[in-house]
Structures are given as C-alpha cells and as structure tokens.
Amino acid sequence: MKKLILVRHAKTEQVYDYSKSDFDRKLMPRGHKDSVIIAEQLKAKSILPSLFVTSKAKRAKQTAKIFAEHLGYPEDKIRKEQFIYDGYTTSEMLSYLSKVGEAHDTIIVFGHNPDIAGLTVNLITEDLWHFPTSCTTVINFAADTWNDVEARAGKVELYIYPKMFKE
C-alpha cells in the first residue's frame, strides 16, 4: 500500500511590501505553532513519511522543516522542487512520485493552494473542499508501486487542520 500526505503550507505573512516576492513570504508565528500541532498529530498516529518533498518557496520549506524536526526526518534529505510552486497537474505529480518514490511507501508533499487542494480532490474518492493553511490529508492507495497509483482511487485516512485542535 502507498500512502501520500499532502500538506498546505502554514500561515504566512501578507504581502504589503511589494518589493518582496510571493516566493519569499515567510511563516508567521501562528504558522510555526500550527505546523507543530499537525506534525505532532501525525507522530501520535505513527504516520511517519520516509520521503519529504517540498516547494522551493520559503514558506513551504519552513513548514517542511518544522514537520521534519518533529517527525525525526533529516532536514538535509528534504527534496525541494520548483514545479510544486509553479503548478502541476495530477498526472505530472503522479509521474514525479513514480520516478522518485518507489523506495518509499509513505511520502509527504508540502505545497500551495490551489494546487495542493486540487491534487487532493483529484486523488480521493471522498468529497473535501476546505483546505486552510496547514491542512493535511493522508491518502491511502491500494497500490504496490507509485506507478500503479491512479486519480480518484485514494481513500482518506486522515484529514486535519489546526483549528480542529484549538479551543
């Protein structure tokens, strides 16, 4: 069985200074806290990815780093991919996973909306439409290889976001 964890990056600063690019936006303190909340939920459920992949955008890399710290994954092993920031189709992501992920049963991908939400919706049989910052969906596929993973074939194991754990 293959397991894909899709994470929308955590809460970021707004772009009020137009000399700063969207690509360079950083996490807000709330984004750091929210990332810890979600990473700890995965850890408590023993959902431990063996491959981390992130967009090269600063906020996604920061989110991935926080998850890596809490899930015991080496920061220097996080794969950073520009196409996750630039946009991709579901088939392009599945093709990428089949190229880099065959040695891994559980992969986590950190990205941006609308792409991470669209990818989630395209991969699962359930209906999910709410993807706030730090939203994380764990999807299981009845497939032995990433090459066998198909759109609309995944089953949601876990769907969480920080507000679910705050009073």
Side-chain angles (χ1 to χ4, degrees), residues 86-160:
D86 292 336
Y88 51 88
T89 65
T90 299
S91 61
E92 288 169 338
M93 179 58 81
L94 291 176
S95 176
Y96 171 80
L97 294 174
S98 70
K99 288 177 189 164
V100 303
E102 278 314 321
H104 305 278
D105 288 331
T106 303
I107 300 174
I108 190 167
V109 176
F110 299 86
H112 312 269
N113 266 0
D115 294 320
I116 205 80
L119 179 61
T120 303
V121 169
N122 288 339
L123 289 177
I124 62 175
T125 57
E126 298 88 351
D127 289 325
L128 296 177
W129 300 103
H130 182 59
F131 295 90
T133 53
S134 299
C135 183
T136 300
T137 309
V138 179
I139 307 168
N140 292 319
F141 297 93
D144 293 325
T145 70
W146 287 105
N147 199 46
D148 294 333
V149 170
E150 296 178 349
R152 303 298 293 169
K155 302 287 185 197
V156 174
E157 175 182 339
L158 186 66
Y159 165 75
I160 56 176

Side-chain angles (χ1 to χ4, degrees), residues 14-52:
Q14 297 298 314
V15 179
Y16 297 114
D17 176 3
Y18 292 101
S19 66
K20 182 178 249 184
S21 73
D22 176 70
F23 190 82
D24 293 324
R25 289 169 51 208
K26 298 182 291 190
L27 295 185
M28 297 289 293
R30 179 182 134 195
H32 286 271
K33 291 175 189 169
D34 289 351
S35 295
V36 171
I37 289 169
I38 299 301
E40 287 297 323
Q41 287 297 315
L42 294 178
K43 185 176 181 180
K45 295 177 183 338
S46 298
I47 300 173
L48 305 172
S50 59
L51 178 63
F52 276 54

Side-chain angles (χ1 to χ4, degrees), residues 2-20:
K2 297 296 182 185
K3 186 182 305 272
L4 181 61
I5 306 163
L6 299 175
V7 182
R8 181 179 175 198
H9 65 76
K11 187 72 174 171
T12 62
E13 61 189 353
Q14 297 298 314
V15 179
Y16 297 114
D17 176 3
Y18 292 101
S19 66
K20 182 178 249 184

Side-chain angles (χ1 to χ4, degrees), residues 52-63:
F52 276 54
V53 181
T54 186
S55 158
K56 286 187 174 183
K58 183 172 278 188
R59 60 194 180 272
K61 290 190 304 185
Q62 287 177 307
T63 303

